Amino acid sequence: MEDIKENLIPNLHFAENDEEELAEEIGLPRRSTIPSLLQRNSQINLLEQIDDKVHQNAMNEIRRRQGTVRFASTKTTRQDKARPPDDQTPFGESLMVLEFGESAPFEAIQWIMEKIRGRRVDGGLELLVRKEPLSKDSQTIIFHISATHMKLLEIADDMGFMKRTKTGIIRNFNVACLDEFFYDEGMALEDILTPADRQIIIKHALESIKAADDEHRIPGTKIILYHGQSIIQAAQSAELISNLYSLHDKRTLKELRHRWIKPTRVQPIDEIRDYFGESVGMYFSFLGFYTYALVVPTVFGFLQLGLSEETETVPFFCVFYVVWMKVFLELWKRKSSSHAYRWGTITMTNLDEPRPGYYGKLARDPITGKWTPQYPKWKTYVQMYCVTAPIILLCMGIAAFVTIFQFYVEAYLAELFGPDAYILYLPSVVNAIYIAVSTLAYDRLATYLTDKENHRTQSQYERHRVNKLIVLEFVNNFLCLFYIAFILQDMKMLKTQLMMQLIVLQFLQNVFENLYPYLKKKVGLKIVRLFVKSNYEKLKEAHESYDEMGLRSLDDDDPRVIQNRKETILEEYNTYDDYLELYIQFGYVVLFSSVAPLTAFWAILNNVIEIRLDAYKLCSFFKRPFARRTKNIGAWQLAFETLAVISILTNCGILYLSPHMRELGAGFTRESYTLTFLVIEHVLLGLTWFIYKAIPDTPHWVRVALAKAEHESRQALKREVLQEKVQQQNIVRWR
Amino acid sequence: MEDIKENLIPNLHFAENDEEELAEEIGLPRRSTIPSLLQRNSQINLLEQIDDKVHQNAMNEIRRRQGTVRFASTKTTRQDKARPPDDQTPFGESLMVLEFGESAPFEAIQWIMEKIRGRRVDGGLELLVRKEPLSKDSQTIIFHISATHMKLLEIADDMGFMKRTKTGIIRNFNVACLDEFFYDEGMALEDILTPADRQIIIKHALESIKAADDEHRIPGTKIILYHGQSIIQAAQSAELISNLYSLHDKRTLKELRHRWIKPTRVQPIDEIRDYFGESVGMYFSFLGFYTYALVVPTVFGFLQLGLSEETETVPFFCVFYVVWMKVFLELWKRKSSSHAYRWGTITMTNLDEPRPGYYGKLARDPITGKWTPQYPKWKTYVQMYCVTAPIILLCMGIAAFVTIFQFYVEAYLAELFGPDAYILYLPSVVNAIYIAVSTLAYDRLATYLTDKENHRTQSQYERHRVNKLIVLEFVNNFLCLFYIAFILQDMKMLKTQLMMQLIVLQFLQNVFENLYPYLKKKVGLKIVRLFVKSNYEKLKEAHESYDEMGLRSLDDDDPRVIQNRKETILEEYNTYDDYLELYIQFGYVVLFSSVAPLTAFWAILNNVIEIRLDAYKLCSFFKRPFARRTKNIGAWQLAFETLAVISILTNCGILYLSPHMRELGAGFTRESYTLTFLVIEHVLLGLTWFIYKAIPDTPHWVRVALAKAEHESRQALKREVLQEKVQQQNIVRWR
């Protein structure tokens, strides 16, 4: 330990009179103190290097290998200060991998890397960069990006992260009072930010490199920049940057996987969130909560089955179902907001910092006073209602036509070829192909349309994108069942179709969603190598000129380089598919529960397996996904709620049509029979609405905690004003 | 001007070394400065006395009359400091009148007055008190209560008032930086608080006199106090205090009335709010907004009439109606939240300071740390769902029974006595009497039940109380129409009944609601004098002992005394009746709009008159009502929204039953005819829901302004922490 400190000291710039303080700091325990932080120098972070236990061993190893030469060469002189900071700082965890396109010109790469490495005064980001050494297989130039812990914390402060303090209250993170945020005894500096936070921060930092007034294009390319545009984003969409992703933190991941995939233990939601970010954490928490909630309709289902399926009791079960659905969805809102509170995302609003893809005129933000793009809201509304809505309606119409046409064709073919001909499967197959193709097309369409709408925050963007997809998927997945239930009125067929779709499709989906990334991991690299030729010779020259820029390489056998070669071809993960699967399953469970009471049982069975399988696949076969901060499950909440309301209509409709009910209602006139169902339906709708109103969305303790935090900061404002006045007064008195 | 200042100086306690500052301050312009405020002494407020322009003339007058004697007698010595502050301070505006019961014992009165006048160190409030002189008619002892402006501002600060600052942002009022809150050039100290604010503050102050640990009863009485109970409230409910109200600010009121009752001008909503408080301001703003909104259905109504009432166009009008209703209600929410923002009430929550009647165990508030009563929420829920709900349902049942029974009796009597006998009116008359009696009973019942529920804040309390009444009034007012429409299916009768109720009842109501308070004002005092005998002799002795306590009297011809004698018998105003009137009117307009399209026209006619008539009556015939802070129209929003939803059902139902529609639908089978209406109804319900989601409740600018205020206080917290650290560091360095 001691020798590391000694080795480190020459790497630091010290003001002449700071020596005493330095000695004091080195003598300090792991917990950092404040004075040094206040006069912090972005270029040097002694504390971090001492505190940074996780990487110390790795660093140590690297340093030992590089020997004293490196330290001698980087001995600092006053001149060195003009050079980018990463020359002097050891390179820690690789937080982001940046891969340039094959044809990326040297000039552009150099310009972008200067932006990333450069000093703040020159408009740079002061991040740490290392290039990956060329190998015989190299096709492109790859950079690893990292940052010092202090740098990350500074950006976190700037981004308005909320973190837990010693008092237990979650408050805006403040780098000036770091010690407030060590809420636990054994915490080290790097424990404040979770792995997901670090990834979000570095991504945000990269995306916040904005084109200046006089930068009209990326040098060496034809990529046009407008003032305030995110340079990295422009480069990505022009494919100058071909890939931007991050490597797994293997140790944390291993620990997490170990805890997570054991079927007997509860999911470690907080750890999942720490590593994969809030959006993935939210998904798995929802999956778990939903699976538990399914126990209730499963019990109902068996009871209903026990009491024989078609008796007078069915309407009572309907009432239970409605109450269950709504209570489950409301309780989930409460659960998600307590997650959001603990994870510090509950105060996110549409007025927060815009997402990087948001464009508009640069203007001062009315809240923070920062320069941000501003885009008139009415344009978004015009786009939504005049362009998006008609297109989505048209797509729905086409999908509905295809689905229903299939039945007519089937009937026609049955007439032509008899009811047992194989050709009768043709329409179903065509429909299945249509669905598969359209799903892909929808995805692109939704992204395109939502991009055009230009929503301000990432959450809004995601919500609107997913909303479009949900509507389209609803038609694809459920319309067929509606047709069978209400037009054909064939309950046997409905039940068969339902069970088939639920069990077979979900099983197949589970297999495929794991098999594909698994195969990609196992044989992907080999296949890629077969088809792609190396650019080694072409890249070699450029590579050497980076060395001259002072951009150092990692070693050939550096663990990060080896890891990257493995992970670069992995599949990318997205919660959308998993949510969609749950959504469709929930639809199968609730829409026709009066016909097929056991769907909940099959769903529970599927989900218990799904949880651990998803956990396994996410920890094993996927690239590290980009963490996304979120305070709820976004569009899915509304989607599930809508299904719940629609299920009231469908179940009432099915009961109304069921011959058994008609028998029971034989004593009524036709009119009062209809009226009874109408009243029941409206009472159930009213009940839904009542439950919605009666259960508050946020638990009481969360509201108290938020109010307390707000009260504290208001009090601070008061005290500040008071203090200023006292000072003014003192000044007056001294005069 | 100069002589007043000179006169005032002997009234003030000065610390020996404050003389220089004093001189400086007297030389200052009207705008107050800060140093003196910081070291403010609650007993003296020089600034206020100099700034207080409005009352200066009146004060001057009084002082001149009392001559030098008074000033000589109050010349301050050190001993005087132990006496209540109001001895030395001129008594300004009478903010509250406190009338004790006839049999109130001297001891109790003395004790309570000591609490109000006493110094803070003795647990007193340091308010200013004068007693009203005895006259030959006196029945009770009456006190006037006032406070210095600084005292009011201090309490406002404590209560967390939100006020506009120079920057235009609404922020928590802070007495330490008063000058921040002079947002306008010509503002004086008393302009910061509106008349309504002053009233609210003084009421809050009086109600916040809490029983201490060792005070188990009010001396001289049997009124038991528990620790932390509001003493004034206990005395009021035991009728020890028979009356607590405030006098009109005649000058402000006159100005307001002058501007308000002119039919050609828009209502001065902000001025109404300044004088009558947020709840009355909100009511009149709603009334105005609703009246404007009624123009749309009026136009529809004439169009519908022009196109002949019973054509195919009616269903289209239904769609327009639904869109109009929902858009109107959503836009009102936006308008009300922009009011609430400007009036500084938008941040009110259920976690705010509890209302005075709230009881529970004393404990530290988790947010502010103040001692407040805490009552478990589950008890409230149990009371609501297990006691209140069944009782209300029972009442609804009885009311429904009475309403429907009336028709049966009517039919029976018609059979017995023929269709033209006068006795046929009997059931209607009985029903009318039942409604009149039950309305009074409901009011008491709702208050009783809501008291038992023990809601924390005044807004919650009001909302729950009004909710109960709305449900009951719904049955009383609309069930009869429903019965005619859907059971008797007699559209002619429905139309007659509707028009009768709308026009005749509203007219009668307008007459009565003005006539009664008018009569009370004109002849009330005379009648009272006829029946009540004076207690002059009895009170005389006690009255003199108050003089000995140092509790001075007002003059016999003091304008406040004369005003009080006039206002004490006036009727008390409450927005409930006015809202209820609008609610019932809205019901008549929307529930059966397809039958009687011109209701909106009659409603508009009524409201245009109503606005100015309400204004006139409120400014002329009523006691000054207690202002109430509120951020919306409370339970009424939901009540109107519910009516809007119900109106979809009723109009669809009426169209479904209408013979003309049946003719049009003759081509359909019975089943698809029904289905068509069902689909239309659900589409309309869906539309309502869509509009609800699509229009945000709070305008964008308000959200931005709130976010900005929050951002500012968060930044202050950050800076505070930073400053502390710097100071710590400095201390370390100095060592």
Side-chain angles (χ1 to χ4, degrees), chain B residues 38 291 430 439 653 697:
Chain B
L38 281 178
T291 306
V430 171
T439 300
D697 287 359

Side-chain angles (χ1 to χ4, degrees), chain A residues 655-667:
Chain A
L655 286 181
Y656 177 74
L657 293 176
S658 95
H660 192 77
M661 279 292 144
R662 301 226 153 180
E663 256 170 55
L664 279 176

Side-chain angles (χ1 to χ4, degrees), chain B residues 195-296:
Chain B
D197 286 342
R198 289 200 284 273
Q199 192 199 37
I200 290 172
I201 289 167
I202 209 90
K203 185 155 183 272
H204 172 89
L206 287 176
E207 281 166 347
S208 69
I209 307 178
K210 300 274 168 76
D213 231 352
D214 54 344
E215 293 169 334
H216 300 298
R217 62 177 65 222
I218 297 179
T221 67
K222 287 175 178 168
I223 303 166
I224 291 172
L225 298 172
Y226 58 87
H227 179 203
Q229 193 183 16
S230 163
I231 291 174
I232 297 288
Q233 283 229 324
Q236 267 184 295
S237 56
E239 293 184 2
L240 176 68
I241 292 175
S242 63
N243 229 332
L244 187 73
Y245 57 91
S246 52
L247 298 181
H248 276 294
D249 178 343
K250 285 181 112 173
R251 205 169 118 179
T252 316
L253 184 67
K254 203 178 156 192
E255 275 171 29
L256 175 64
R257 180 166 59 189
H258 182 72
R259 287 196 51 188
W260 193 5
I261 59 175
K262 275 192 188 156
T264 49
R265 289 176 67 172
V266 287
Q267 294 187 87
I269 297 296
D270 283 331
E271 282 80 3
I272 298 170
R273 170 257 174 176
D274 285 351
Y275 188 76
F276 288 107
E278 284 77 15
S279 84
V280 174
M282 213 51 110
Y283 165 71
F284 281 99
S285 177
F286 178 71
L287 175 55
F289 189 77
Y290 166 59
T291 306
Y292 275 119
L294 276 175
V295 171
V296 179

Side-chain angles (χ1 to χ4, degrees), chain B residues 668-682:
Chain B
F668 292 114
T669 66
R670 188 62 183 266
E671 204 132 75
S672 53
Y673 180 71
T674 311
L675 196 69
T676 311
F677 272 90
L678 219 69
V679 169
I680 292 176
E681 190 224 316
H682 283 89

